[in-house]
Amino acid sequence: RSSEIAAAIELMRAHGLVALVGPSGSGKSSLARAGVLPRVREGAIGRGLAQCDIAIIAPASDPRRTVLEALSALPEPPFTLEEGRDMLPAAVVAALATRAQVSERGTLLFVDQLEELVTMESVSFAASRKWTIELLVALAQSSIDGVRALVTARRDLLEPLLAYEGLGKALMRGTLLVEPMTDSTWDDVIEQALAAYGYALESPELGAELAKQLRGTVGAMPLVQFALTELWAKRNTADKKVTRAALDEIGGIAGSLERHAETTLKELLRAGFGSESDVRDLLLPLTTPHGTRASVPLETLVRKDESKRQIVTALEGARLVVSGAGGITLAHDALLVQWSRLRGWLADARDRRLLT
């Protein structure tokens, strides 16, 4: 995706805020994390960002706190977390500008899944969201060298983001549209990735079958990423081959995630960690009525219930949930679509959740 990386870098040279916008599963986060951010660290932008520190966040349940924690944890931080609690967005931008001038270290704030600002609702969240939006607008309007923001956002949830005064204009000025990778691109990616480690596919027929399965799922980057990771884990290390047997074992590209999730659930129940309803009651709060992931603090999720804590630990070990600055969240967007059991739980709960 070298052309998209180059386009993003060019936009960041001219704008304080750049947005990577595309459909769910198009690879926005991967493009940012594996493509754009490494180039920024290498000094590709210039303009005071030759030596650049990157603060990475997802909005989660308290985006203001998450931003302040990430910025206060930078090398030579612009402020302490205690100081940041009382700072207005303009003061935060000013502190970042001072840091850039004094320490000659630039700052890039990367906000992944910006749509979480409009998919989560509560009285306390509204104030935190307002502060975070004001910060992003201030960064977008700033002409300060050495301070930038990069965000990713789902295209289908862009309209409510555009409705916020100032943020809409900022997003429109600095948006790069990200399309899903094509079938032919994936063929090259897999071949080159395997070759980099001295591996190859077992046969041309396996390559054809893999390409066929990818054709139906290339728009779901998290699913493809998960499936290929599972496939790589089951490679033949003696012959340095990826085999057809391994592809069958994981359930193919489309079935790999559901098979893994179902196996994990069965193992949890067999181990006596709880019931299926316990797992459901833990996973549903990690989603929103809009069909997106949500983050919930661990203690809020388990509520001092040790059996629930054990379930969360097991789910995290199975890479179905992950912990981050905002708490626990689903590890893959694709789970919301590809795991039929979770999809059924969401459908059953949707009407009730929308009403409440």
Side-chain angles (χ1 to χ4, degrees), residues 315-343:
L315 292 173
E316 189 171 6
R319 296 170 293 122
L320 294 178
V321 303
V322 293
S323 59
I328 304 297
T329 189
L330 293 173
H332 311 277
D333 283 321
L335 278 166
L336 296 165
V337 177
Q338 297 295 331
W339 189 10
S340 57
R341 189 184 300 272
L342 177 58
R343 198 168 63 244

Side-chain angles (χ1 to χ4, degrees), residues 25-207:
S26 59
K28 303 176 294 295
S29 296
S30 297
L31 177 63
R33 293 172 183 266
V36 178
L37 298 189
R39 292 292 311 280
V40 172
R41 288 192 182 96
E42 293 166 0
I45 295 177
R47 300 185 64 85
L49 292 162
Q51 186 175 9
C52 184
D53 298 306
I54 299 174
I56 301 176
I57 72 143
S61 58
D62 188 351
R64 178 178 180 272
R65 179 178 178 83
T66 305
V67 168
L68 292 174
E69 286 179 344
L71 293 177
S72 63
L74 293 171
E76 301 182 42
F79 46 76
T80 66
L81 180 57
E82 190 64 32
E83 292 169 338
R85 288 187 179 123
D86 298 320
M87 294 175 70
L88 296 174
V92 171
V93 176
L96 293 174
T98 300
R99 176 180 186 269
Q101 293 167 358
V102 173
S103 67
E104 297 184 347
R105 301 181 73 101
T107 303
L108 172 64
L109 174 64
F110 172 49
V111 183
D112 203 6
Q113 301 177 73
L114 186 68
E115 65 272 4
E116 287 185 2
L117 291 179
V118 294
T119 58
M120 300 183 69
E121 286 294 343
S122 71
V123 175
S124 60
F125 183 79
S128 184
R129 170 174 56 201
K130 182 176 183 294
W131 185 95
T132 305
I133 289 174
E134 289 176 357
L135 175 65
L136 292 173
V137 172
L139 288 169
Q141 294 174 344
S142 170
S143 58
I144 301 168
D145 286 345
V147 182
R148 291 289 187 277
L150 175 69
V151 304
T152 66
R154 274 175 46 175
R155 190 168 64 192
D156 59 318
L157 293 172
L158 186 60
E159 186 172 346
L161 288 170
L162 296 176
Y164 284 95
E165 185 178 358
L167 182 61
K169 291 180 180 178
L171 291 175
M172 292 304 292
R173 282 196 299 264
T175 287
L176 175 67
L177 296 178
V178 179
E179 297 296 336
M181 290 172 62
T182 64
D183 298 337
S184 59
T185 302
W186 269 114
D187 292 343
D188 292 339
V189 166
I190 292 172
E191 183 179 336
Q192 292 175 26
L194 290 175
Y197 293 93
Y199 278 75
L201 296 175
E202 183 180 49
S203 66
E205 290 74 23
L206 175 59

Side-chain angles (χ1 to χ4, degrees), residues 225-270:
Q225 178 184 353
F226 177 86
L228 293 180
T229 300
E230 291 291 291
L231 189 59
W232 173 253
K234 297 183 182 300
R235 66 194 183 277
N236 184 327
T237 55
D239 296 336
K240 288 202 167 186
K241 299 286 186 183
V242 171
T243 65
R244 175 58 186 261
L247 182 63
D248 292 340
E249 187 178 347
I250 68 170
I253 298 297
S256 59
L257 188 53
E258 174 155 34
R259 185 168 183 168
H260 176 68
E262 285 293 306
T263 299
T264 299
L265 177 60
K266 289 175 183 176
E267 289 175 351
L268 278 173
L269 300 181
R270 191 181 302 120

